[in-house]
Amino acid sequence: MILGSASVASAVSLYSTAPGVRLNVRSGPGTTYSITRTLPEGTKVPIFCQTPGSTVSGYYGTSNIWDNIDNGEFVSDTYVNTGSDGYVADRCA
């Protein structure tokens, strides 16, 4: 399943979410933001930008990095397999 609009630029990479996890998508970069939807297991997501937010311990470690996967939608980077413990995309404005 590919999320986002059909006009997603080919330069944007898709990243796998953690195996066996139904991932909560939030309206902002933190666990205090509301859940807008839940991604099914095996979803691949684009990362348009990344921003610091609340610290989360997840499948891929502990981090305060949040990935913007669509307009106003964020997931914790600790559940996205980016191959890095740091930023892999530009910081969100």
Side-chain angles (χ1 to χ4, degrees):
M1 175 179 202
I2 298 174
L3 302 176
S5 69
S7 64
V8 172
S10 60
V12 174
S13 297
L14 294 177
Y15 299 91
S16 298
T17 56
V21 173
R22 294 188 57 206
L23 186 57
N24 289 332
V25 178
R26 296 189 176 267
S27 62
T31 56
T32 59
Y33 289 88
S34 63
I35 296 170
T36 59
R37 60 186 167 131
T38 302
L39 301 178
E41 295 178 27
T43 299
K44 291 188 177 214
V45 295
I47 298 176
F48 295 105
C49 62
Q50 294 176 298
T51 191
S54 61
T55 299
V56 172
S57 292
Y59 190 88
Y60 296 110
T62 300
S63 177
N64 73 335
I65 298 172
W66 286 75
D67 304 333
N68 174 253
I69 63 165
D70 208 339
N71 189 24
E73 293 191 328
F74 295 83
V75 295
S76 170
D77 193 61
T78 62
Y79 289 98
V80 181
N81 186 8
T82 63
S84 173
D85 289 335
Y87 288 86
V88 297
D90 291 337
R91 294 262 184 128
C92 300

